[in-house]
């Protein structure tokens, strides 16, 4: 059974981290501290280095500068879960939900009883109880994405990294998926790190943000980062943050010449 992290625990700490390939720097120096139970979102324009930052957190890429520290429970990445944008399996390969989710146990040691208990728990957490015998390819797009999350959860991660997991979702599926992950964060204490292009979603769900653009990086709590000046410096246009009639945060792009 996984011991829950204390809210005061620091899971990941980056100090002046610079990332890139060969002599090309992609992510300028960024400093951040990810505490247990936080919900970090990483935003930025295409090519700003969001995926590169994820690769570093997953241990696939070493920083060119600075220092990236992980809590001892994450050092071997066994307690780090990863949800990609889409499934990389061949659709011609018949795969049950159980078989697919158990792929997430590759590289970790579990008894048969633990494997079974973790499978049942992971499917329950994403709202797919009793569907382990279903053909993965017969599921809807939203259900398939939930199975991807379950595949990451079967490791019982302390830290869950998601790479634009909601691309192409219709509004009801999106809301259901986001609620599922919000519950994981709130009730199970799973620390989340999202990559997305959608500023409005980050405004609604994030506790902390990393904004990336052209070798520049800004990080911190939403209150610190979500300012008009910072958003303009990252996106090159004005961004107004407000609320709709239901009290939900809204984001509006303000182009040059638009009325204030």
């Amino acid at each position: 059974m996984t011991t829950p992290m204390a809210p005061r625990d620091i899971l990941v700490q980056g100090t002046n981290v610079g990332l890139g390939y060969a002599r090309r720097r992609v992510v300028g120096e960024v400093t951040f501290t990810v505490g247990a139970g936080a919900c970090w979102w990483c935003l930025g324009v295409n090519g700003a280095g969001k995926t590169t930052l994820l690769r570093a957190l997953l241990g696939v890429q070493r920083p060119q500068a600075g220092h990236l520290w992980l809590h001892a429970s994450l050092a071997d990445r066994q307690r780090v879960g990863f949800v990609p944008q889409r499934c990389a399996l061949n659709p011609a390969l018949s795969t049950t939900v159980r078989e697919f989710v158990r792929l997430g146990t590759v590289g970790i040691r579990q008894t048969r009883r633990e494997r079974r208990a973790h499978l049942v728990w992971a499917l329950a957490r994403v709202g797919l109880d009793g569907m382990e015998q279903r053909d993965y390819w017969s599921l809807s797009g939203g259900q398939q994405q939930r199975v991807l999350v379950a595949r990451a959860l079967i490791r019982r991660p302390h830290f869950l990294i998601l790479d634009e997991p909601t691309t192409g979702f219709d509004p009801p599926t999106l809301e259901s998926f986001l609620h599922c992950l919000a519950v994981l964060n709130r009730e199970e204490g799973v620390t989340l790190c999202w990559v997305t292009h959608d500023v409005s979603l980050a405004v609604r769900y994030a506790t902390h943000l990393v904004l990336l653009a052209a070798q520049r990086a800004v990080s911190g709590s939403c209150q610190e980062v979500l300012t008009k000046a910072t958003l303009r410096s990252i996106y090159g246009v004005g961004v107004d943050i407000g609320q709709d009639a239901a009290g939900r945060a809204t984001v509006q792009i303000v182009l040059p010449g638009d009325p204030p």
Side-chain angles (χ1 to χ4, degrees), residues 100-208:
F100 189 93
V101 172
R102 281 187 171 172
L103 291 174
T105 64
V106 172
I108 63 175
R109 301 171 73 175
Q110 290 181 333
T111 66
R112 180 178 298 180
R113 178 176 295 181
E114 287 173 334
R115 240 186 4 253
R116 175 63 188 168
H118 289 192
L119 172 70
V120 171
W121 175 84
L123 289 175
R125 294 317 299 167
V126 299
L128 296 177
D129 320 56
M131 297 183 67
E132 59 187 80
Q133 296 298 336
R134 289 278 300 275
D135 180 4
Y136 173 80
W137 302 108
S138 72
L139 304 179
S140 68
Q143 288 174 325
Q144 287 183 357
Q145 202 65 8
R146 287 180 181 230
V147 174
L148 282 174
V149 175
R151 184 179 67 176
L153 290 181
I154 199 171
R155 305 173 74 89
R156 296 304 296 262
H158 290 147
F159 190 36
L160 183 62
I161 298 172
L162 305 104
D163 186 6
E164 299 192 61
T166 59
T167 301
F169 277 18
D170 57 55
T173 301
L174 174 62
E175 288 300 323
S176 177
F177 185 76
L178 290 171
H179 175 74
C180 160
L181 288 162
V183 169
L184 269 174
N185 175 246
R186 183 175 63 250
E187 296 184 1
E188 298 290 340
V190 178
T191 304
L192 303 178
C193 179
W194 295 65
V195 162
T196 184
H197 285 88
D198 196 326
V199 181
S200 62
L201 289 182
V203 169
R204 289 174 57 191
Y205 289 96
T207 61
H208 296 75

